Amino acid sequence: MAKNILICDDAAFMRMMIKDILTKNGYNVVGEAENGKIAVDKFSELSPDLVLLDITMPEMDGIGALKAIKEKDPNACVIMCSAMGQQAMVIEAIQSGAKDFIVKPFQAERVLEAVKKVIG
């Protein structure tokens, strides 16, 4: 069965890139969100197997969204996405329950490796 994934990034082209990588490899993208607040709402609504969360976003950043999602479901699987130079935020994300992180610009192999590691 295809795994359901929610993509959250404020940049539409980034969401499109990730969606393309995932769908070409048999994953089902059930939703997209352009900020952390929408991601938390969609997580509750869609119950995805995995959430890919950007760290830097308007309204609610990825760290805030991660904490809110983990509050709703302690077993939620979340992979953080970040640009280079955000090591402190990546460490905070891992400590807050993220399973892995992917550095932008995305490389298809790395995205798939992280997703496979987390949800198979």
Side-chain angles (χ1 to χ4, degrees), residues 35-109:
N35 66 51
K37 188 177 178 325
I38 294 170
V40 173
D41 293 342
K42 288 203 174 190
F43 177 81
S44 297
E45 179 191 324
L46 302 168
S47 298
D49 298 305
L50 174 68
V51 182
L52 288 174
L53 262 182
D54 185 22
I55 289 181
T56 311
M57 292 181 293
E59 275 196 60
M60 179 190 280
D61 69 9
I63 304 286
L66 169 66
K67 289 176 179 173
I69 287 170
K70 284 297 209 177
E71 222 168 76
K72 288 177 183 286
D73 179 0
N75 298 315
C77 291
V78 179
I79 295 176
M80 303 304 290
C81 307
S82 75
M84 284 296 211
Q86 292 180 317
Q87 278 83 357
M89 287 177 142
V90 167
I91 290 165
E92 185 182 350
I94 298 294
Q95 288 170 340
S96 299
K99 303 279 188 202
D100 202 348
F101 69 95
I102 306 165
V103 177
K104 294 177 182 178
F106 298 117
Q107 292 173 314
E109 302 78 37

Side-chain angles (χ1 to χ4, degrees), residues 16-35:
M16 195 177 71
M17 266 177 61
I18 299 173
K19 184 176 184 174
D20 191 51
I21 292 167
L22 295 171
T23 53
K24 281 183 178 165
N25 287 278
Y27 293 99
N28 184 27
V29 175
V30 291
E32 295 182 28
E34 57 273 7
N35 66 51

